[in-house]
């Protein structure tokens, strides 16, 4: 801007000079006559007018000095300039005030000069405070501007007065100095115009200076590194931010190129050859991540490089990526990574195997020990699984462990040595998961069920492979551990199982589930001592489904919880309805599932069912299997005691199959032992089973328990059990499971039901 303005300024001042010379010659010629009379008056008038202009300039200058001091806070420079300007103001005003004498406007100017001086002192004190009160500083500057405006107005009035005096003098000597006066006015007008133009130029120049200072401070005050490079890639300038960065990284200040990529020279050469004038680089040096915006200033043949440290952002992005592809509990790669890695391996044309590993009994442990143990359990499981895979010497190229979901983990094998490598690893996992696991000083026995498939033979995409490995897993899941490889015949079974599961989820709400009741007969008098409630499912398409087909599925999916609650409520209401229909009170037995028994909610469920139905608790009998009771004896004792506190009866079902310890058995608060049907059916042919049944009955009686045998189908079985002292019997010999409405009719057929139980008539 300044370069373009210089010719204009020179021409302007040349014009002023020419006009001044011409007017001066004219004035000199015309004023020779008036020299003796008017020289003193004119000299004084011009001097006063020049003094006013000078004073106005000095006052304007002191305002710019204060603003510059506010912008730079450079105290020594400010004081020197301020004191010099104040001396000039004092000298100018001393002359003018003497010339004007006692005049109202001179008092105002004197007061304003003193007030501006006082405000300058206040500004200096404010800018020297720590911290600086910038609001107060700006307020003082606004007051200075206001006072300067008052001073300018007053000086303008004095100027007008001087002009008036000169006008009066002109009137006095109009005939003598008409031409001189006219020339003087033109000369003064020209001077004023030039002064205004010069003032505008000076203002624009000062504004440009301030803008250049501000732009220069942008680079100097920028905390990020800024470098200027030559076209050969050498560093020509670095800002203080770059020095500070080098110092923080322990790099010598003489090596600013350390902040740039190693190939920076090649990069700037390429940028010079391109049509673009800027580039964006992202790179890592000195253990930090940087991004650089590079600007090629073609006119100056230099590069400006603006750096920014993005290490924290890069680390955050990496953390987010890790969280997206890793399980937060075990830190293993998650399901998304599992699918992605398998798909990548397929796209690379590799061969491999996919294993899905279901850890058995984890949910039962979590429900019994509390969910606080879940995370620690899964962390220990993941470590053990990772160690097993790392220790396995199967000859595979790569093997990775994943947390698929819940208690299911995944393993991917890439390029195994043989088709049997996956099977060998799977069996190794199953074997080593047979060892106990120590969690919070508890020794836990788990198991691993594994489904496996191979690619590309068993699938061409990750979803299909995972699905087929899951189909293989379902073949062994829930059995305590095992391994199964996918075969094409699994698909139909898996689809049928999935269809059955979906229908089971809606069976309860659609009213497809019902209860059947099988009578239990006392050997002593042949009377019906109770009934066992048995679940039935009448499917609208598949017809009547046997319990063995859907109850394990309900257990596995967790649907047994709501179904079990419905069984308890329905059985209790049915028993109360029989009594209200005129039948005597009879005991009704309900089986508890494993999922129900391991949760504390079952106590409240049974209590609510009794309260809602009005059934006395002694007429409700809950059955748990011997195997379930022996899995966690301390928990079983606690749960059975709580159930006993409700007043219900407790029977140990399938007795003889669970290898009970007599010491534990004595601690269980039981009312009945129920001999498993597998022993009863062979007592006529197998002397060992007959002896075992006799021993169970003796054991039960010695423990003060009633013993009931189930599965009785022949008269000989009945007679044998009667001879050896069995208390109650249940089986097809007496009655198959019947509907609730048929129970009342069945008992009524045995005789009078007015007040006591009548002997039952055995079927042939």
């Amino acid at each position: 801007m300044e370069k373009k303005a210089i010719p204009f300024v020179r021409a302007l001042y040349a014009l002023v000079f020419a006009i001044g010379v011409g007017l001066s010659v004219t004035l000199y010629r015309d004023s020779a006559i008036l020299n003796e009379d008017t020289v003193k008056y004119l000299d004084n008038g011009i001097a006063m007018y020049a003094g006013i202009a000078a004073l106005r300039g000095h006052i304007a200058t002191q305002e710019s000095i204060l603003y510059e001091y506010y912008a730079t806070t450079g105290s020594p420079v400010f004081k020197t300039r301020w004191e010099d300007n104040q001396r000039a103001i004092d000298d100018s005003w001393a002359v003018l005030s003497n010339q004007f004498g006692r005049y109202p406007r001179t008092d105002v100017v004197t007061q304003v000069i003193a007030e501006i001086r006082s405000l300058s002192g206040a500004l200096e004190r404010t800018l020297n405070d720590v911290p600086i009160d910038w609001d107060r500083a700006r307020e003082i500057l606004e007051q200075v501007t206001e006072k300067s405006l008052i001073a300018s107005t007053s000086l303008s009035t004095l100027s007008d007065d001087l002009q008036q005096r000169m006008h009066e003098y002109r009137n006095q000597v109009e005939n003598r100095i008409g031409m001189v006066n006219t020339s003087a006015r033109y000369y003064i007008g020209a001077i004023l115009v030039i002064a205004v133009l010069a003032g505008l130029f000076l203002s624009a120049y000062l504004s440009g200076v301030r803008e250049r200072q501000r732009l220069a401070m942008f680079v100097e005050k920028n905390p990020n590194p800024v470098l200027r490079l030559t076209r050969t890639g050498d560093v020509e300038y670095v800002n203080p931010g770059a020095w500070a960065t080098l110092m923080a990284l322990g790099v010598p200040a003489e090596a600013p190129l350390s902040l740039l990529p190693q190939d920076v020279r090649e990069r700037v050469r390429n940028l010079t050859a391109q049509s673009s004038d800027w580039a964006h680089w992202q790179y890592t040096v000195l253990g930090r991540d940087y991004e650089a915006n590079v600007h090629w200033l073609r006119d100056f043949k230099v590069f400006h490089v603006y750096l920014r440290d993005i290490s924290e952002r890069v680390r955050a992005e990496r953390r987010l990526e890790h969280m997206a592809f890793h399980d937060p509990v075990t830190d293993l790669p998650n399901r998304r990574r599992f699918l992605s890695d398998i798909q990548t391996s397929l796209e690379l044309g590799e061969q491999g195997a996919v294993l899905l590993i279901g850890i058995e009994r984890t949910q039962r442990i979590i429900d019994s020990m509390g969910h606080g143990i879940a995370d620690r359990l899964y962390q220990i499981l993941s470590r053990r699984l990772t160690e097993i895979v790392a220790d396995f010497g199967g000859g595979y190229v790569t093997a990775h462990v994943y947390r698929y979901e819940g208690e299911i983990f995944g393993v991917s094998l890439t390029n195994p040595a043989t088709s049997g490598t996956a099977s060998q690893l799977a069996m190794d996992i199953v074997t080593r998961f047979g060892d106990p696991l120590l969690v919070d000083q508890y020794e836990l026995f788990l198991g691993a069920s594994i489904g496996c498939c191979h690619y590309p033979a068993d699938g061409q995409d990750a979803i299909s492979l995972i699905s087929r490995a899951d189909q293989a897993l379902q073949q062994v899941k829930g059995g305590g551990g095992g391994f199964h490889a996918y075969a094409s015949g699994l698909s139909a079974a898996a689809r049928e199982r999935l269809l059955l599961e979906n229908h089971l989820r809606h069976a309860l709400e659609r009213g497809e589930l019902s209860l059947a009741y099988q009578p239990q007969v006392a050997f002593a008098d042949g009377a019906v001592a109770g009934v066992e409630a048995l679940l039935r499912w009448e499917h609208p398409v598949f017809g009547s489904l046997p319990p063995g087909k859907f109850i394990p599925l309900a257990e596995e999916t967790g649907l047994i919880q709501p179904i079990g609650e419905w069984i308890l409520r329905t059985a209790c209401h049915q028993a109360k309805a029989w009594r209200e229909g005129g039948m005597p009170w009879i005991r009704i037995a309900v089986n508890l599932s494993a999922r129900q028994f391991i949760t504390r909610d079952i106590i409240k469920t049974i209590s609510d069912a009794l309260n809602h139905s009005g059934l006395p608790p002694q007429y409700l009998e809950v059955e748990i299997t011997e195997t379930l009771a022996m899995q966690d004896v301390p928990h079983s004792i606690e749960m059975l005691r709580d159930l006993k506190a409700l007043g219900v009866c407790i029977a140990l079902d399938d007795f003889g199959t669970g290898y009970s310890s007599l010491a534990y058995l004595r601690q269980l608060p039981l009312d009945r032992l129920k001999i498993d049907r597998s022993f009863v059916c062979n007592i006529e042919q197998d002397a060992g089973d007959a002896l075992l049944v006799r021993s169970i009955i003796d054991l039960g009686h010695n423990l003060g328990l009633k013993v009931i045998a189930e599965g009785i189908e022949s008269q000989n079985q009945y007679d044998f059990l009667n001879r050896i002292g069995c208390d109650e019997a249940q089986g097809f010999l007496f009655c198959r499971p019947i509907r609730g409405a048929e129970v009342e009719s069945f008992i009524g057929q045995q005789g009078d039901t007015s007040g006591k139980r009548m002997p039952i008539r055995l079927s042939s």
Side-chain angles (χ1 to χ4, degrees), residues 202-279:
L202 180 61
S203 177
Y205 176 77
L206 292 177
S207 177
V209 169
R210 287 195 296 271
E211 182 64 18
R212 287 193 300 275
Q213 289 176 342
R214 187 183 70 81
L215 293 176
M217 289 177 63
F218 169 75
V219 174
E220 290 296 317
K221 300 298 183 182
N222 193 336
N224 295 319
V226 179
L227 298 87
R228 182 165 63 241
L229 307 180
T230 65
R231 63 189 302 169
T232 60
D234 296 319
V235 177
E236 192 176 75
Y237 162 82
V238 293
N239 74 330
W243 297 126
T245 301
L246 290 169
M247 185 180 298
L249 295 174
V251 178
E254 298 79 16
L257 275 175
S258 301
L259 295 175
L260 298 173
Q262 294 182 351
D263 60 343
V264 62
R265 299 182 187 279
E266 182 180 353
R267 293 190 185 208
V268 297
R269 282 198 302 270
N270 293 337
L271 184 58
T272 306
Q274 295 173 0
S275 59
S276 175
D277 291 339
W278 69 276

Side-chain angles (χ1 to χ4, degrees), residues 30-31 33-34 37-38 166-182 185:
D30 294 341
S31 65
I33 303 172
L34 302 175
D37 298 333
T38 61
M166 294 182 67
H167 182 70
E168 292 175 355
Y169 176 75
R170 186 201 59 189
N171 291 335
Q172 296 174 4
V173 294
E174 182 176 4
N175 294 329
R176 299 174 60 190
I177 59 171
M179 197 64 185
V180 173
N181 196 20
T182 301
R185 285 201 305 272

Side-chain angles (χ1 to χ4, degrees), residues 275-295:
S275 59
S276 175
D277 291 339
W278 69 276
H280 179 81
W281 303 339
Q282 186 166 328
Y283 56 92
T284 301
V285 293
L286 303 174
R288 307 291 293 178
D289 295 290
Y290 290 95
E291 67 176 8
N293 288 310
V294 185
H295 297 268

Side-chain angles (χ1 to χ4, degrees), residues 55 58-59 62-63 66 69 78-79 81-94 108-125 140 143-145 147-148 151:
L55 183 58
H58 292 322
I59 290 175
Q62 74 178 355
E63 182 179 359
L66 290 176
Y69 179 41
F78 159 74
K79 286 184 177 180
R81 293 186 61 193
W82 177 262
E83 290 172 0
D84 293 341
N85 195 66
Q86 286 301 309
R87 283 193 295 270
I89 290 175
D90 292 342
D91 294 341
S92 298
W93 182 239
V108 173
V109 174
T110 300
Q111 181 179 355
V112 168
I113 291 172
E115 289 175 349
I116 291 176
R117 186 169 297 166
S118 175
L119 289 172
S120 73
L123 178 63
E124 182 178 8
R125 288 191 298 275
I140 292 172
Q143 294 178 9
V144 168
T145 301
K147 299 302 180 183
S148 298

Side-chain angles (χ1 to χ4, degrees), residues 54-55 84 106 133 141 188 220 305 325 461 548 564 586 654 743:
L55 183 58
D84 293 341
T106 61
D133 187 350
L141 289 176
I188 292 171
E220 290 296 317
V305 183
F325 289 98
D461 61 89
I586 60 172
D654 298 339
V743 171

Side-chain angles (χ1 to χ4, degrees), residues 475-700:
Q475 301 301 306
V476 290
K477 189 175 181 183
F483 165 72
H484 199 287
Y486 171 78
S488 58
L490 287 177
S491 298
R495 285 194 296 271
E496 180 184 353
R497 181 184 176 281
L498 181 61
L499 179 63
L500 199 63
E501 178 184 335
N502 291 335
H503 283 222
L504 184 57
R505 293 184 181 277
H506 302 287
L508 191 60
E509 63 187 57
R510 293 172 178 169
E512 297 172 6
L513 299 182
S514 61
L515 292 183
Y517 304 91
Q518 188 171 34
Q520 297 170 335
V521 178
F523 278 102
D525 56 8
V528 176
V531 294
E532 180 181 4
L534 301 170
L535 183 63
R536 295 291 182 264
W537 183 10
E538 290 293 333
H539 193 279
V541 177
F542 302 139
S544 181
L545 296 174
K549 192 172 183 64
F550 66 87
I551 288 182
L553 182 61
E555 283 271 9
E556 181 183 332
T557 59
L559 294 172
I560 197 65
Q561 290 282 93
I563 292 175
E565 293 177 10
W566 174 83
I567 292 172
L568 277 166
R569 292 195 304 269
T570 304
C572 289
H573 280 286
Q574 181 63 77
K576 183 65 184 301
W578 285 333
R579 177 58 181 168
E580 292 174 350
M583 281 178 52
W585 285 112
I586 60 172
R587 186 182 69 248
I588 187 163
V590 176
N591 291 278
L592 293 186
S593 70
R595 283 184 179 268
Q596 288 177 293
F597 187 67
I598 61 177
T599 63
R600 299 291 308 176
D601 293 341
I602 189 59
I603 306 298
K604 183 177 184 302
T605 300
I606 293 176
S607 177
D608 290 345
L610 292 171
N611 292 335
H612 291 163
S613 65
L615 179 69
Q618 63 269 28
Y619 294 112
L620 175 63
E621 181 175 82
V622 293
E623 296 183 0
I624 64 167
T625 64
E626 181 186 16
T627 302
L628 177 59
M630 291 300 109
Q631 282 184 350
D632 187 350
V633 176
H635 173 73
S636 298
I637 293 173
E638 181 185 359
M639 289 293 293
L640 293 178
R641 285 176 178 171
D642 290 342
L643 288 171
K644 199 67 178 172
L646 294 178
V648 302
C649 300
I650 301 174
L652 194 62
D653 196 11
D654 298 339
F655 189 75
T657 62
Y659 306 102
S660 300
S661 167
L662 182 59
Y664 286 147
L665 191 61
R666 293 179 59 187
Q667 299 179 54
L668 299 178
L670 303 173
D671 295 288
R672 284 177 182 76
L673 295 181
K674 199 167 184 182
I675 304 174
D676 187 68
R677 66 177 65 246
S678 62
F679 302 115
V680 174
C681 67
N682 292 323
I683 57 176
E684 297 179 68
Q685 296 84 18
D686 192 326
D689 282 352
L691 180 60
L692 180 59
V693 170
R694 184 188 298 272
S695 299
I696 292 173
I697 294 172
D698 291 341
L699 174 63

